[in-house]
Amino acid sequence: MIDYTQFHAVFPGQGPTPYSNKDVQEIETMRKSFNGVLFIDRVLKALSIGEGRTYPPKGDNGLRSLHKHICESKVSAHHKLSVFYYLLLDHDVVRGMKSQLAEEFAASSGLPRKYQILMHGLWHMDRNEFKFALEYLAHPSLPSEFPDEIVTILVRHAKDNDYSLPLAYYHTTQPVFKTSEALDLLFGALVSTSITEALFFSRKCPEHTRRLLFEKLVSTTLVQQEQSLGGVKTKELVGLPLDSFEEAWFQEYLTSGEGSKLKLAASTIETRQIITGLGDDGLASLAKGSGIFSVFFEA
């Protein structure tokens, strides 16, 4: 077992290093593209390592200072070794494909495999290598770490409305989101991909959230149709197998709610009524049967 408190027991004494001025600038550019925060920043903050921004270290002196901060932190040895592993992945990049400093360190230090998998995935995320990142972050042995941030970045950096990566991450890990932003972004990706799947997803949410998501489903689909981007999805929308609650939400949103301002609101309601065979009387009866919506039809 190596003594990681010794600087050269962790980092090589010779050869290329990854924190030249050019390297640091490239990392800072990537940080800006992620709204100012890298995943290694989140890890260091969670572990209370250093004060303020300590990554990337600037040159050898900066790396020695960061090593000292890590060693003096009050977290477990596994957490310290995980950060060293991430930094050694940086070293491997500048040394070429044959360099295995990170893996050799993990083996000699006894770093558990799940920590290696997590940090390798976060390292790829920080380099905008999302496909490679998911090969690690969606691993079945991992608990869901930073799911809100991962989904947010994957959706915002999706190209040409291809949301396969954030949806693959969600379906594989089934994370529980802590922020409304991540939930909203994932749902938008679902709507753009399959509104039927988005509908079923919304049914898993609490009632208030479920209704908000349902209205987003309707509005997003109709806006895309207005922009000539969603003709097929509009046909799917009016033919959705809605339950009594959703049917009432659909009608109210497009007649008296915010959705009534959409250009296609009236024609969408008319088409829906033709498909379902429900006229105004039928819809009023349906809404009364759903209990909590009867107030809309008692006047």
Side-chain angles (χ1 to χ4, degrees):
M1 189 74 69
I2 68 172
D3 181 4
Y4 63 80
T5 63
Q6 300 300 310
F7 180 81
H8 283 304
V10 180
F11 300 104
Q14 297 180 340
T17 58
Y19 304 120
S20 66
N21 289 338
K22 179 181 178 182
D23 296 322
V24 169
Q25 184 58 48
E26 289 178 352
I27 292 172
E28 292 295 348
T29 298
M30 192 62 69
R31 177 182 273 123
K32 289 179 182 179
S33 73
F34 293 147
N35 202 29
V37 185
L38 294 170
F39 280 96
I40 188 61
D41 297 331
R42 296 183 174 96
V43 170
L44 294 174
K45 181 178 180 180
L47 299 180
S48 299
I49 293 177
E51 296 181 2
R53 185 169 294 172
T54 55
Y55 180 87
K58 296 180 180 179
D60 185 69
N61 289 337
L63 184 58
R64 287 179 178 274
S65 177
L66 179 54
H67 173 266
K68 184 174 182 290
H69 283 308
I70 296 169
C71 291
E72 293 177 347
S73 64
K74 298 180 180 180
V75 297
S76 70
H78 288 159
H79 287 137
K80 296 176 183 179
L81 296 174
S82 297
V83 179
F84 288 140
Y85 180 82
Y86 181 104
L87 297 173
L88 286 170
L89 289 172
D90 286 345
H91 283 72
D92 282 334
V93 168
V94 299
R95 288 170 176 255
M97 295 182 62
K98 293 183 179 181
S99 180
Q100 296 290 321
L101 291 175
E103 300 308 319
E104 292 169 1
F105 173 79
S108 60
S109 65
L111 179 63
R113 183 62 180 159
K114 67 178 181 180
Y115 289 91
Q116 300 174 47
I117 295 171
L118 173 62
M119 297 307 291
H120 215 143
L122 297 180
W123 184 85
H124 280 299
M125 286 292 296
D126 283 342
R127 276 143 192 82
N128 201 354
E129 299 169 353
F130 302 138
K131 184 177 180 180
F132 292 118
L134 292 198
E135 292 178 7
Y136 295 93
L137 297 176
H139 195 279
S141 68
L142 285 186
S144 184
E145 297 283 353
F146 304 113
D148 294 62
E149 294 84 356
I150 290 171
V151 164
T152 296
I153 287 177
L154 290 177
V155 172
R156 286 182 171 171
H157 286 77
K159 297 180 180 179
D160 301 322
N161 292 321
D162 179 5
Y163 298 108
S164 56
L165 290 180
L167 295 182
Y169 173 77
Y170 170 76
H171 289 306
T172 303
T173 63
Q174 293 292 303
V176 177
F177 296 122
K178 298 178 181 179
T179 65
S180 58
E181 179 185 30
L183 177 63
D184 190 61
L185 286 170
L186 178 71
F187 189 73
L190 281 168
V191 173
S192 295
T193 305
S194 169
I195 64 172
T196 299
E197 184 178 358
L199 175 67
F200 293 145
F201 174 90
S202 70
R203 290 174 176 175
K204 302 176 185 178
C205 299
E207 185 175 294
H208 177 67
T209 302
R210 177 187 170 189
R211 178 168 185 173
L212 291 176
L213 292 179
F214 179 79
E215 292 177 351
K216 178 180 177 69
L217 184 157
V218 175
S219 63
T220 300
T221 303
L222 296 186
V223 168
Q224 289 179 348
Q225 169 64 20
E226 291 176 10
Q227 299 172 346
S228 300
L229 298 175
V232 174
K233 286 187 173 63
T234 303
K235 294 179 181 179
E236 186 181 357
L237 173 67
V238 295
L240 284 174
L242 305 182
D243 64 20
S244 59
F245 294 101
E246 293 158 347
E247 196 71 63
W249 292 339
F250 187 87
Q251 298 294 324
E252 186 205 353
Y253 180 65
L254 292 178
T255 55
S256 58
E258 284 296 313
S260 63
K261 301 174 184 178
L262 297 170
K263 294 180 180 179
L264 299 177
S267 61
T268 300
I269 291 175
E270 182 180 355
T271 303
R272 177 69 183 176
Q273 291 179 359
I274 293 173
I275 290 175
T276 60
L278 289 172
D280 293 340
D281 292 341
L283 289 169
S285 176
L286 178 67
K288 287 182 178 180
S290 67
I292 61 172
F293 299 107
S294 59
V295 65
F296 298 133
F297 297 90
E298 288 175 353

